[in-house]
């Protein structure tokens, strides 16, 4: 039996354990600021696998000077990044690899719209349900069990393999940036985000910002003289909707031609007022804007600020009391990678060991941590399981796709990093007898 078949058989044997591990991961409500417990759980797993552990708190000073940094408005105290390294012994003739997953998840609210407990990892048929189960704890289980199968079979790799469990992918990207700032680098990085069994070559850039509007608060009896901050915020929200239409009406780069609406401008949060019969003095809303690759996020910051300030200038109140605009979180560049790079060739070959079709290369209208790696010179892509309802009620992952992803990652690792004692392992050995 050849080597890859042995690894695939091991993944099959460990499958129940992998599902159980994923269920446990899914039970940690690891929203922003609440990642410590699940990180301890991952650290324990890395330790059991015999990896060299580096658990560290992101250094805010280092972060700020590293490309890809997104301004943060909170502390990193008690919120570790966990890195487990499997260092190659000997000559290291292969190519090194980072496998990374983000362990943070978005809020499960509103809970009333769920048919399942978002923190119970319920299995029904081929699906597992839960907040973050697809985005992207299933991918975390997949890369861990791919490495575990290889390691437990006693196979030795020709290059270092670095496993990283990070946070803040959902808001700043600073977990990945912190690992890069700490000095972790490799010849490639794979991130099993759940965009399915396809390689992401192209993605939009993303900015987040807050707009604060001040009115002239007064009791509702004097409301005809008062200025309502919520109504004034609506003036600016309307402008953001026009901006969305304008940027999507521009000619699209080729990679995004298939999308009707590649550049999402999402009003994600609004807060204002505190009593029904008081004219609200404050209103704040938060916006996420996507933009095409090759545009400096700073150019977009200037454009959006200009657009909001011009709308404010036309309004009698806002021209006197302009909005306060704060860009925070993601300052992520878009990406359009060379589709012929080695990473895609090896991933395509690994994909064919498990799937009959050729691997697709896709564009996405979101940002992920690959942005931070590529801007720091480390080629990175996503390839992962299948599921649905990401950032929505009843999020689920298709379990058979998690197993397939685990196998593709194992095949990629063997070919990319190379296997020691290669005289005993011919390339023929890296094919699989049957699947
Ligand atoms: Zn994700």
């Amino acid at each position: 039996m050849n080597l890859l078949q042995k690894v695939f058989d091991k993944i099959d044997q460990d499958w129940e354990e992998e599902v159980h591990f994923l269920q446990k991961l899914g039970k940690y409500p690891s929203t922003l600021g609440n990642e410590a417990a699940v990180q301890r759980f991952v650290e324990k797993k890395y330790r059991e696998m015999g990896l060299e552990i580096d658990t560290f708190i992101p250094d805010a000073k280092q972060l700020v000077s590293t490309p890809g940094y997104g301004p943060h408005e909170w502390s990193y105290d008690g919120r570790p990044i966990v890195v487990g390294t499997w260092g190659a012994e000997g000559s290291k003739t292969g190519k090194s690899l980072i496998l990374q997953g983000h362990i943070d998840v978005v809020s499960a609210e509103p809970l009333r719209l769920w048919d399942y407990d978002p923190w119970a990892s319920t299995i029904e048929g081929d699906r597992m349900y839960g907040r973050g189960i697809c985005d992207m704890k299933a991918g975390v289980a997949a890369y861990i069990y791919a490495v575990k199968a290889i390691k437990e079979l006693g196979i030795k790799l020709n290059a270092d393999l670095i496993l990283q469990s990070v946070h803040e992918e959902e808001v700043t990207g600073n977990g990945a940036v912190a690992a890069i700032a700490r000095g972790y680098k490799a010849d490639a990085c794979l991130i099993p985000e759940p965009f399915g069994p396809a390689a992401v070559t192209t993605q939009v850039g993303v900015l987040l910002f807050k707009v604060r509007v001040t009115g002239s608060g007064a009791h509702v009896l004097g409301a005809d003289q008062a200025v309502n901050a919520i109504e004034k915020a609506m003036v600016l929200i309307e402008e953001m909707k026009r901006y969305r239409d304008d940027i999507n009406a521009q000619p699209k780069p080729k990679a995004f031609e298939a999308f009707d609406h590649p550049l999402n401008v999402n009003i994600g949060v609004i807060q204002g007022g505190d009593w029904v019969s008081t004219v609200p003095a404050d209103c704040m809303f938060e916006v996420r804007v996507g933009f095409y690759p090759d545009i400096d996020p700073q150019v977009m910051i200037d454009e959006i600020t200009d657009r909001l300030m011009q709308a404010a200038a036309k309004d009698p109140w806002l021209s006197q009391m302009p909005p306060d605009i704060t860009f925070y979180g993601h300052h992520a560049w878009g990406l359009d990678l060379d589709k012929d790079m080695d990473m895609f060739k090896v991933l395509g070959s690994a994909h064919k060991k498990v799937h009959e079709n050729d691997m697709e290369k896709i564009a996405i209208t979101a940002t992920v941590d690959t942005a931070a790696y590529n801007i720091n010179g480390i080629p990175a892509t996503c390839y992962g399981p299948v599921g649905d309802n990401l950032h929505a009620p009843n999020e689920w992952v298709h379990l058979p796709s998690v197993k397939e992803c685990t196998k593709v990652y194992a095949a990629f690792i063997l070919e990319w990093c190379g296997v020691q004692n290669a005289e005993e392992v011919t390339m023929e050995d890296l094919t699989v007898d049957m699947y």
Side-chain angles (χ1 to χ4, degrees), residues 102 135-136 169-170 193-194 368 391:
H102 70 82
D135 182 13
M136 61 166 283
E169 188 274 346
E170 299 287 5
E193 287 274 10
V368 282
H391 296 217

Side-chain angles (χ1 to χ4, degrees), residues 176-196:
V177 176
I180 295 164
R182 187 131 168 127
Y184 289 103
K185 53 178 190 252
D187 295 316
C189 169
L190 283 191
I191 301 182
E193 287 274 10
F195 302 116

Side-chain angles (χ1 to χ4, degrees), residues 413-429:
I413 293 164
L414 294 178
E415 195 168 334
W416 183 262
C417 300
V419 175
Q420 285 190 16
N421 305 320
E423 62 275 11
E424 294 161 33
V425 186
T426 63
M427 281 314 284
E428 196 73 339
D429 282 335

